[in-house]
């Protein structure tokens, strides 16, 4: 299990079986690359097409059930080494050697080797640190959806949705379908956002993605829920659990709604833990207000053997992801000598045209639903790092006493050293440093990540070692 | 960033020893500047296991180690922070009779240096440490040993040095240094030109490179001990735990995280990157569950490493250059320099100020390696 010299070396390892991973794998199989697909979910689809192979699965916005099912069917029809229920917690890359991917499956550690790695790890919800966000009863809409889907766990008390973006509307619609009426929707969008977005309307219209969005919006409006627009200064109130949400409206009035469940959402950001742990260079994406891996048009990262596609390389949505996945696979095939450069270019051209068209629709969405609460000024008592319970004030104090960057904040305060390795606090820490030093976030950078990118049970290693013993 | 600087003392390397030397020298009124390529405490001083231990050391190191232990108690007065130091005791475990004999031999010898080490076996071992696994047959305890948070100790010395008037330049690597009749001439990557009467080389795993600029030859191997930490568990292990041979070591923070290490990881000196070795990590985990079986259900949340210089005899180089007057070396601490750092800073300051130290340094002489390089300057 450790040395594995006689184990096969795959041409390509794909991490993630969402739209990007499924499409990439199907094409890799067609070209004849020996391919292993590693995915945490029990079945293909990723987050957006979760359970798409089974009736009753609810697809997310920007996606159509048929497209997801078609991707899954093509994926299933391809001869691949598909390993569901398998997490990847570390990837070793040494120049000139095959990559070694470290796995966790059924509480056992394992590994595979591959000449190329394609990361298609999708997106994660943007953390929204407002006062009270760590109280019991407060979660993200993504977590609320998972609760809904698992054996009809419907919230008992009043539910308040806070934030913006299509996922917020969809969650309200899904809750209504489960006979849970949302008590209030507090939208953080401003009129200025609509004006900023309108300049990008032609691209959005041309991209064709407006159809699904409009249908969702109509469905949401038809519910007739109480919606408060343009809210700011949101505080979640409560003693040992959430009891209400206080907010300020555009005309300066303050309001309060009772709530037992508060779901926060201000869009998604790339799930880039593996890319960071490998050491792929990141770049600040001002339009999406997040770091993302730096890639070229082939999905090539700064690490020679590693390509990154789909939302994990920058949020572009479920329609764009399969195209990016296919384009990247063509380059991987060239890199391992399976396609000539001319063949790669010829086959990639139609995917590239379709992708460009889709990407023209993205700035409209980005401007219409910018992170507002997630980018608001943070009061000192607000918890930044949930794992180690570090406040904004503590981060500011460390900065005042000489800490210069994210990794020093981590060293001094243990902020970002907990089980999530900074997934919840990294964007906030970068922002606090940028504010304190008066420099752009791009210049501040973000935490280094250390393997494992997810907690691994000690016993899983011990089991692996015993199998290995002579 | 560019400019000229004329100093009494220039220091290359921002580990604990370098920062402590800067602190003491600045307090004595000397003009001091320290140059650190990254940030203070980036490598061995800042990312090590955090053991503050006299037990198990080479006896040649004990006088220096004893001196350092006194400083650990005085850290709040010295640097304004305790570095999270706690004298929790260090329990060294034996897994067979031969190992027990090694422990007993150390305990006997340590008494000559005034270091108290107790033998603990049988029922008392199980009563005092009920979390130990069945493979452990005995142990010795040094109550004055303990643990600290390495991430804040070197930076604490660095801040104190700054307050005392030393200049601490971070993100400023030294490109080269030479000596002529006017003293040392140092050029940094930022283009700064520095002259200094004395140069202190505390460059850790890169110490031999700096020594080589002056023709001092030291065989150094860069290694990267593998470190891991679990999620918080109930706080049970209040001593710092090691084993004879050192193939696994562990401690628990009051918050509950179990920090443990063992084996060597991977590093690349050119890009200054290092990480825990996957195979070593797994071996250390298996050994950990051998001595602390109750930790087997825990999740490992992070692994890490740093780059440290190891000498052939695992003893540091500490003292004057063979080739170059005014050049002092302190590096090659071979994986056990964290506890020593505060005293090494004091010794270096003594050597600068008086030319001698009250602590015996003969075992650490660079001359023991016998080589002089053709000066590469």
């Amino acid at each position: 299990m450790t040395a594995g010299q006689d184990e096969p070396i795959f041409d390509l390892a794909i991490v993630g079986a969402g739209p990007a991973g499924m499409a990439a794998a199907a094409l890799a199989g067609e070209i004849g690359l020996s391919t292993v697909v590693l995915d945490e979910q029990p079945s293909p689809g990723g987050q957006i097409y979760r359970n798409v192979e089974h009736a009753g699965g609810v697809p997310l916005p920007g996606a159509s059930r048929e497209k997801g099912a078609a991707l899954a069917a093509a994926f299933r029809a391809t001869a691949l080494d598909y390993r569901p229920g398998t997490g990847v917690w570390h990837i070793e890359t040494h120049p000139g050697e095959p990559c070694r991917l470290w796995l966790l499956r059924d509480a056992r550690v394992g590994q595979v080797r591959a000449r190329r790695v394609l990361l298609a790890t999708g997106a994660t919800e943007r953390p929204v640190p407002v006062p009270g966000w760590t109280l019991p009863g407060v979660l993200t809409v993504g977590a609320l959806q998972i609760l809904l889907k698992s054996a009809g766990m419907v919230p008992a008390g009043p539910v308040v949705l806070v934030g913006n973006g299509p996922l917020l509307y969809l969650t309200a619609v899904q809750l209504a379908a489960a006979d849970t009426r949302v008590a209030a929707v507090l939208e953080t969008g401003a009129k200025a956002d609509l004006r900023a977005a309108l300049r990008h309307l032609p691209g959005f219209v041309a991209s064709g993605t407006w159809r699904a969005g409009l249908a969702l919006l109509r469905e949401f409006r038809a519910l007739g829920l109480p919606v408060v627009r343009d809210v700011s200064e949101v505080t979640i109130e409560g003693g040992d659990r959430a009891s209400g949400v206080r907010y300020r409206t555009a005309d300066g009035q303050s309001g309060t709604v009772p709530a037992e469940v508060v779901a926060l959402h201000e869009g998604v950001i790339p799930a880039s833990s593996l890319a960071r742990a490998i050491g792929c260079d990141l770049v600040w994406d001002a339009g999406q207000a997040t770091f993302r891996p730096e890639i070229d048009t082939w999905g090539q990262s700064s690490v020679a053997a590693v390509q990154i596609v789909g939302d994990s390389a920058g949020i572009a949505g479920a329609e764009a992801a399969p195209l990016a996945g296919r384009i990247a696979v063509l380059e991987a095939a060239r890199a391992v000598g399976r396609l000539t450069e001319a063949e790669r270019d010829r086959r990639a051209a139609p995917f590239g045209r379709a992708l460009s068209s889709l990407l023209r629709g993205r700035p409209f969405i980005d401007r219409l639903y910018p992170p507002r609460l997630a980018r608001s000024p943070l009061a000192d008592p607000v918890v930044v790092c949930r794992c180690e319970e570090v406040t904004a004030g503590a981060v500011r104090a460390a900065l005042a006493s000489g800490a210069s960057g994210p990794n020093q904040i981590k060293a001094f305060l243990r902020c970002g050293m907990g089980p999530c390795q900074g997934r919840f606090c990294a964007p906030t820490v970068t922002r606090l440093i940028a504010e304190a030093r008066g420099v752009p976030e791009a210049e501040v950078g973000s935490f280094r990540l250390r393997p494992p990118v997810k907690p691994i049970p000690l016993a899983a290693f011990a089991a692996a070692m015993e199998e290995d013993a002579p | 960033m560019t400019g000229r600087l004329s100093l009494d003392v220039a220091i290359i390397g921002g580990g604990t020893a370098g920062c402590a030397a800067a602190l003491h020298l600045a307090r004595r009124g000397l003009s001091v500047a320290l140059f650190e390529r990254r940030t203070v405490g980036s490598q061995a001083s800042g990312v090590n296991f955090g053991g503050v231990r006299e037990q198990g050391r080479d006896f040649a190191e004990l006088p220096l180690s004893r001196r350092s232990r006194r400083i650990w108690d005085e850290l709040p007065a010295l640097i304004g922070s305790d570095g999270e130091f706690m004298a929790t005791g260090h329990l060294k475990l034996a897994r067979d009779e031969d190992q027990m004999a090694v422990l007993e031999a150390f305990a006997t010898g340590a008494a000559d240096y005034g270091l108290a080490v107790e033998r603990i076996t049988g029922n008392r071992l199980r009563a005092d440490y009920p979390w130990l696994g069945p493979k452990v047959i005995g142990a010795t305890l040094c109550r004055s040993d303990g643990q600290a948070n390495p991430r804040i100790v070197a930076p604490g010395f660095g801040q104190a040095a700054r307050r005392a008037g030393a200049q601490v330049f971070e993100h400023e690597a030294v490109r080269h240094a030479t000596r002529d009749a006017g003293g040392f001439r140092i050029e940094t990557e930022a283009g700064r030109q520095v002259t200094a009467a004395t140069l202190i080389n505390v460059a850790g795993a890169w110490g031999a490179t700096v020594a080589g600029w002056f023709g001092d030859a030291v065989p150094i191997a860069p290694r990267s001990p593998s470190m891991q930490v679990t999620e918080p568990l109930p706080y049970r292990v209040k001593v710092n735990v090691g084993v004879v041979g050192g193939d696994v070591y562990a401690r628990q923070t009051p918050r509950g995280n179990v920090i443990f290490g063992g084996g060597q990881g991977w590093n690349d000196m050119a890009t200054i990157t290092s990480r825990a070795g996957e195979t070593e990590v797994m071996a250390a985990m298996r050994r950990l569950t051998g001595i602390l079986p109750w930790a087997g259900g825990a999740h490992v949340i992070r692994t890490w490493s740093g780059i440290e210089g190891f000498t052939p005899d695992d003893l540091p180089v500490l003292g004057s250059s063979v080739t170059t007057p005014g050049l002092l070396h302190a590096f090659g601490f071979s994986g056990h320099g964290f506890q020593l750092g505060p005293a090494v800073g004091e010794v270096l300051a003594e050597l600068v100020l008086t030319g001698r130290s009250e602590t015996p340094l003969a075992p650490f002489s660079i001359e023991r390696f016998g080589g002089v390089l053709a000066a590469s300057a």
Side-chain angles (χ1 to χ4, degrees):
Chain A
M1 182 329 303
T2 30
Q5 292 309 320
D6 51 348
E7 285 174 22
I9 299 173
F10 291 97
D11 289 327
L12 181 64
I14 298 175
V15 184
M22 290 190 294
L27 181 56
E30 183 195 316
I31 294 171
L33 298 180
S34 66
T35 303
V36 61
V37 180
L38 309 156
D39 188 51
E40 287 187 334
Q41 306 290 339
S43 59
Q47 297 289 346
I48 197 142
Y49 297 125
R50 185 192 286 266
N51 247 342
V52 73
E53 293 173 315
H54 304 98
V58 189
L60 302 177
S64 84
R65 183 172 185 77
E66 293 69 31
K67 283 179 181 164
L71 284 170
F75 173 73
R76 289 283 195 189
T78 310
L80 298 161
D81 186 342
Y82 167 49
R83 304 190 191 180
T86 304
V88 178
W89 53 269
H90 179 45
I91 301 176
E92 284 180 81
T93 59
H94 298 287
E97 288 175 33
C99 302
R100 190 180 292 274
L101 296 90
W102 289 84
L103 317 175
L104 184 68
R105 183 182 193 178
D106 297 333
R108 272 179 195 281
V109 164
Q111 52 173 287
V112 292
R113 289 185 297 165
R115 296 167 70 187
R116 309 274 313 171
V117 171
L118 190 61
L119 298 179
T121 50
T124 183
E125 280 181 273
R126 184 191 298 273
V128 184
V130 296
W133 74 304
T134 54
L135 283 173
V138 185
L139 31 62
T140 65
V141 299
L144 185 57
Q145 287 187 317
I146 290 170
L147 284 181
L148 262 181
K149 291 173 191 172
S150 52
M153 285 181 63
V154 175
V159 178
V160 174
L161 305 183
V162 184
N164 63 30
L167 198 55
L168 205 69
Y169 306 137
L170 182 82
T171 306
V173 170
Q174 289 174 337
L175 282 165
D179 294 328
T180 301
R181 194 179 158 78
V182 169
V185 179
L186 307 179
E187 271 200 89
T188 54
K191 286 203 178 73
D193 297 335
L194 182 60
R195 280 196 297 276
L198 283 175
R199 289 193 292 117
H200 301 280
L201 187 62
F204 183 61
V205 171
S207 74
T209 47
W210 56 274
R211 288 185 192 86
L214 204 59
L216 175 64
L217 212 54
R218 283 206 188 101
E219 223 178 327
F220 172 73
R221 295 241 170 89
L223 296 175
L225 299 174
V227 176
V228 186
R229 293 217 165 73
D230 209 352
V231 305
S232 59
E233 296 175 40
V234 167
T235 297
I236 298 161
E237 298 178 320
D240 49 5
R241 58 166 301 122
S243 61
V245 184
R246 191 154 42 84
Y247 58 91
R248 186 174 292 278
T249 56
D251 55 7
Q253 304 291 306
S254 69
T256 309
V257 285
E260 274 189 34
V261 173
V262 182
L264 294 165
H265 178 79
E266 284 198 320
V268 295
I269 55 177
S272 56
S273 298
L274 268 173
R276 288 170 187 236
I278 292 168
C280 298
D281 289 343
L282 301 179
V283 61
W284 177 257
D285 186 327
Q288 299 188 341
T290 181
F291 281 103
R292 61 172 169 78
E294 188 164 26
I295 54 163
D296 69 8
T297 52
W298 302 99
Q300 179 62 53
S301 77
S302 64
V303 175
V306 178
Q307 289 166 276
I308 309 172
V309 293
D311 277 359
S312 50
I315 305 305
E319 300 271 312
L323 297 165
R326 292 184 189 113
I327 291 167
V329 158
L330 293 168
E331 160 58 11
R334 184 210 59 80
V336 301
R338 189 72 63 153
L339 290 181
T340 65
E341 198 171 309
E343 284 173 303
R344 176 199 70 176
D345 292 350
R346 183 183 58 76
R347 297 188 64 166
F351 299 138
R353 283 192 296 275
L355 183 59
S356 306
S357 166
L358 276 174
L359 292 179
R360 280 199 290 278
R362 195 67 217 175
F364 179 81
I365 302 283
D366 291 342
R367 297 300 179 283
L368 188 59
Y369 303 116
R372 290 250 162 222
L373 294 178
R375 310 272 300 159
S376 303
L378 274 173
D380 278 347
V382 177
V383 170
V384 169
C385 167
R386 307 176 66 128
C387 302
E388 299 286 337
E389 294 166 35
V390 179
T391 63
V395 173
R396 290 193 177 106
L399 289 167
S401 70
S404 59
N407 292 309
Q408 274 191 307
I409 292 294
K410 181 170 153 183
F412 292 178
L413 299 175
R414 297 192 169 93
C415 184
M417 273 194 186
C420 91
Q421 286 227 40
R423 276 192 291 279
F424 283 104
C425 65
T428 315
V429 168
T430 294
R431 185 157 61 96
L432 289 172
I433 295 171
E435 279 171 14
R437 287 174 41 196
V439 298
E441 283 155 298
E443 203 175 296
V444 171
S446 192
F447 292 136
R448 260 193 310 264
L449 227 85
R450 300 298 189 193
V453 299
K454 63 183 65 203
I456 303 295
L458 260 162
F461 287 92
M465 290 296 287
E466 266 144 39
E467 281 168 16
D468 209 33
Chain B
M1 283 292 281
T2 57
R4 290 182 179 279
L5 207 54
S6 182
L7 302 164
D8 294 323
V9 183
I11 300 173
I12 303 178
T16 305
C19 292
L23 168 63
H24 295 298
L25 291 166
R27 282 191 175 173
R28 293 292 293 265
L30 274 66
S31 61
V32 184
L34 181 150
F35 299 93
E36 162 57 42
R37 176 175 41 202
R38 292 202 164 163
T39 54
V40 161
S42 288
Q43 294 295 338
S45 285
V47 297
N48 64 73
F49 169 65
V52 178
R53 165 184 70 78
E54 291 183 82
Q55 184 178 192
R57 284 185 183 274
D58 192 305
F59 290 127
E61 270 184 5
L62 270 188
L64 182 65
S65 186
R66 301 249 64 202
R67 180 175 181 175
S68 213
R69 178 61 187 81
R70 289 192 290 276
I71 306 173
W72 279 98
D73 280 333
E74 298 158 3
L75 282 189
L78 185 63
I79 65 171
S81 154
D82 66 0
E84 295 177 17
F85 171 66
M86 297 185 299
T88 56
H90 173 66
L91 188 71
K92 205 176 246 327
L93 310 176
R95 290 166 289 189
D96 60 40
E97 293 297 339
D98 289 348
Q99 293 189 346
M100 198 63 214
V102 171
L103 292 179
E104 285 168 357
F106 180 83
T108 306
D112 295 343
Y113 295 85
L115 181 67
V117 178
E118 300 165 41
R119 181 176 183 276
I120 302 177
T121 56
N123 289 339
R124 190 178 151 211
L125 185 70
R126 304 290 159 202
D128 290 0
Y129 309 105
W131 34 262
L132 280 175
K135 288 175 183 165
V136 178
I137 64 153
T140 45
L141 173 68
C142 179
R143 291 185 189 272
S144 55
D145 282 342
Q147 49 193 299
N149 181 353
R151 292 171 204 284
I152 61 174
V153 172
F157 273 99
Q159 287 297 330
R162 278 196 177 105
R163 288 195 296 271
Q167 300 183 75
V168 178
F169 297 102
E170 294 179 298
H171 301 292
E172 187 159 353
V174 170
R175 181 179 295 156
H176 197 63
T178 56
R179 189 177 194 281
D180 61 24
F184 291 94
R185 298 190 182 279
I186 300 139
E187 187 192 346
T188 72
E189 295 287 354
R192 195 192 304 270
Q193 305 285 333
V194 182
T195 57
T198 299
L199 179 64
I200 299 180
N201 166 23
V202 275
W206 292 265
T209 306
V210 174
W213 294 342
F214 299 94
D216 280 330
V218 181
I220 280 274
R223 290 188 201 154
S224 294
S226 286
M227 297 293 158
Q228 298 127 73
V229 62
T230 71
E231 65 196 330
L233 303 173
Y235 186 31
R236 297 184 73 188
V237 178
K238 293 178 185 171
V239 289
N240 167 6
V241 182
V243 298
V244 175
D247 60 17
V248 64
Y249 38 95
R251 67 185 179 97
Q252 193 174 12
T253 66
R255 187 172 167 77
N257 306 82
V258 175
I259 299 168
F260 64 105
Q264 300 297 325
W266 170 93
N267 65 54
D268 179 19
M269 294 287 276
T271 55
I272 320 177
T273 48
S274 61
R275 61 168 180 261
E278 290 73 12
T279 310
E280 288 73 15
V281 162
M282 300 206 317
M285 286 173 175
R286 190 170 59 163
R287 291 191 196 105
L288 183 77
T289 54
I291 60 170
L292 306 177
W294 62 277
H299 286 73
V300 170
I301 59 173
R302 195 160 36 83
T303 65
W304 76 95
S305 191
I307 308 181
E308 160 73 320
F310 283 70
T311 63
D313 57 9
D314 280 348
L315 289 177
V317 171
L318 173 54
S320 299
S321 160
V322 184
T323 61
T324 311
L327 173 63
L328 297 174
H329 299 300
F331 61 91
F333 287 89
S334 306
H336 44 259
F338 182 55
Q339 192 268 358
L340 301 177
V344 172
E346 275 192 3
V347 166
L348 288 167
E350 280 177 344
L351 292 174
V352 172
L353 295 164
T354 70
R356 55 182 305 281
S357 172
E358 64 180 59
T359 301
L361 302 178
F364 313 132
S365 167
I366 196 168
E367 293 178 49
R368 72 187 191 275
F369 300 114
V372 174
L373 300 171
S376 57

